[in-house]
């Protein structure tokens, strides 16, 4: 008979895999909505996340937590800054998929954890292990190979990594749950999003309303945004942080496979760059596993 803790851990692992699996399939959604400009998709993603997020808050009884966070000026200010970083990350990622740069999107989320570690060293006084240093060095060499040998500076990849790291650092400074925090961030962005959609409507260039299939796809951006985060929040409470650190590479790996499926050009420079990144990821995962073993040792 399984212990409750084992059952809880298994549920957390399944939930974490589900979250990163859903994030990994994002390119399919954004390819399906390619007829809609990236900025309009971003506005709809913000708009439809609000009511769906509210339902989740009601279900999880987190309305009180959300109100307390809104009433705290410093928390609200940091969440407002985080919302800008998140919206920029969302918008650039949608744009990347639409211009057939799925590999760059995947690369950005591969190197994001490495940049996060580098920020922790530079600004939070943490020390790099040898494996972490090797992983960051390999990522740097990989980016240089793609830039010099491949003739393509991965500006999209670096922006995605930097913006999501900024978002992560800001959220680290805020004592608020994942779902209440996301709801407040969406709340901050909702007025600009609605204003933009109204302007598109008056300019007669709003795609929403022109085709039933696209309408439903745009409405679906709400649950598509919120559900992975809900699964992630569930997992984060039930499995080790080191396990989550390993799972985070499931998303960019699936995005990479989506790029292969859609037939994006994969040059020799891409192959060298990704090979170096994958070795760096292996170093990163090994370091996390070692740290977990040391932490659990009696």
């Amino acid at each position: 008979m399984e212990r409750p803790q084992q059952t809880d851990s298994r549920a957390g692992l399944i939930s974490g895999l589900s979250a990163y699996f859903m994030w990994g399939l994002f390119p399919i959604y954004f390819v399906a909505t390619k007829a809609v400009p990236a900025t309009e998709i971003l506005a709809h993603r913000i708009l439809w996340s609000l009511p769906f997020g509210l339902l989740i808050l009601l279900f999880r009884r987190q309305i009180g937590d959300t109100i307390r966070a809104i009433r705290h000026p410093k928390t609200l200010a940091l969440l407002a800054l985080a919302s800008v970083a998140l919206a920029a990350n969302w918008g650039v990622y949608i744009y990347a998929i639409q211009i057939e740069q799925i590999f760059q999107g995947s690369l950005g989320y591969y190197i994001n954890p490495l940049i996060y570690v580098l920020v922790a060293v530079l600004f939070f006084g943490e020390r790099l292990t040898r494996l972490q240093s090797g992983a960051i060095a390999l990522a740097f060499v990989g980016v240089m190979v793609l830039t010099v040998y491949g003739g393509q500076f991965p500006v999209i990849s670096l922006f995605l990594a930097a913006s999501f790291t900024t978002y992560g650092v800001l959220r680290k400074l805020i004592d608020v749950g994942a779902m209440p925090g996301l709801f407040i961030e969406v709340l901050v962005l909702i007025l600009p999003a609605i204003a933009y959609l109204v302007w598109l409507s008056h300019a007669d260039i709003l795609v929403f309303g022109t085709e039933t299939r696209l309408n439903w796809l745009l409405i679906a951006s709400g649950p598509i945004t919120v559900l992975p985060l809900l699964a992630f929040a569930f997992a984060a409470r039930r499995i080790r942080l080191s396990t989550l650190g390993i799972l985070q590479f499931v998303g960019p790996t699936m995005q990479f496979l989506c790029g292969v499926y859609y037939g994006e050009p994969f040059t020799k420079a891409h192959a060298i760059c990704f090979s170096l990144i994958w070795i760096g990821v292996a170093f990163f995962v090994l370091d996390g596993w070692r740290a977990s073993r040391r932490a659990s040792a009696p």
Side-chain angles (χ1 to χ4, degrees):
M1 186 174 180
E2 288 187 349
R3 296 176 182 176
Q5 188 177 0
Q6 289 177 318
T7 304
D8 219 29
S9 296
R10 182 177 294 177
L13 182 62
I14 293 170
S15 187
L17 279 170
S18 299
Y20 285 108
F21 188 83
M22 286 185 275
W23 279 324
L25 293 176
F26 268 16
I28 297 174
Y29 173 78
F30 293 124
V31 169
T33 54
K34 198 173 181 178
V36 185
T39 48
E40 185 177 339
I41 295 176
L42 175 62
H44 279 287
R45 194 174 179 185
I46 294 165
L47 175 64
W48 300 110
S49 292
L50 192 69
F52 196 78
L54 181 60
L55 289 175
I56 299 296
L57 288 177
L58 290 169
F59 177 75
R60 300 186 72 189
R61 298 178 181 177
Q62 290 182 308
I63 294 294
D65 295 339
T66 307
I67 293 172
R68 280 191 291 274
I70 291 173
R71 287 177 175 173
H72 195 283
K74 183 181 177 181
T75 299
L76 187 59
L78 287 172
L79 284 171
L81 287 174
S83 72
V84 174
L86 187 63
N89 183 273
W90 284 357
V92 170
Y93 183 73
I94 296 167
Y95 174 72
I97 304 303
Q98 290 194 338
I99 63 170
E100 300 180 355
Q101 291 293 323
I102 299 176
F103 287 142
Q104 276 219 54
S106 170
L107 180 63
Y109 290 115
Y110 268 127
I111 64 178
N112 173 64
L114 306 179
I115 291 183
Y116 199 87
V117 168
L118 192 59
V119 168
V121 171
L122 294 176
F123 298 101
F124 293 97
E126 296 185 17
R127 298 185 67 180
L128 283 175
T129 66
R130 288 183 179 180
L131 285 172
Q132 287 175 339
S133 299
I136 291 171
L138 285 168
F140 177 78
V141 173
V143 168
M144 289 299 100
V145 167
L146 193 60
T147 303
V148 178
Y149 180 54
Q152 180 189 33
F153 182 67
V155 61
I156 291 174
S157 303
L158 294 174
F159 182 87
L160 289 173
S163 58
F164 205 71
T165 299
T166 302
Y167 176 73
V169 169
L170 288 169
R171 288 302 302 267
K172 187 179 174 68
L173 299 173
I174 309 166
D175 185 20
V176 63
M179 198 60 237
L182 178 67
F183 183 80
I184 295 170
E185 289 159 2
V186 170
L187 202 60
V188 170
L189 297 168
I190 195 68
L191 287 180
I194 291 174
Y196 180 69
L197 291 172
V198 169
W199 177 80
L200 288 179
S201 178
H202 283 302
D204 202 26
I205 51 177
L206 185 70
V207 176
F208 186 79
T210 59
E211 185 183 325
T212 303
R213 173 182 165 275
L214 275 178
N215 292 345
W216 282 113
L217 281 172
L218 290 171
I219 292 170
S221 64
I224 284 171
T225 297
V226 174
L227 281 175
L229 187 72
L230 185 62
F232 177 82
F234 181 87
R237 291 177 175 272
R238 287 163 176 81
I239 59 177
R240 292 179 178 181
L241 195 61
S242 57
T243 305
L244 268 181
I246 294 170
L247 290 180
Q248 69 185 316
F249 295 108
V250 170
T253 300
M254 292 190 63
Q255 291 167 18
F256 175 85
L257 293 175
C258 284
V260 173
Y261 174 77
Y262 286 115
E264 269 194 24
F266 191 70
T267 64
K268 189 178 289 185
H270 279 103
I272 296 171
C273 175
F274 273 96
S275 296
L276 290 168
I277 294 296
W278 289 330
I279 296 170
V281 165
F283 284 0
F284 189 85
V285 170
L286 179 59
D287 183 76
W289 178 75
R290 283 184 174 179
S292 176
R293 288 286 299 272
R294 286 195 296 269
S296 61

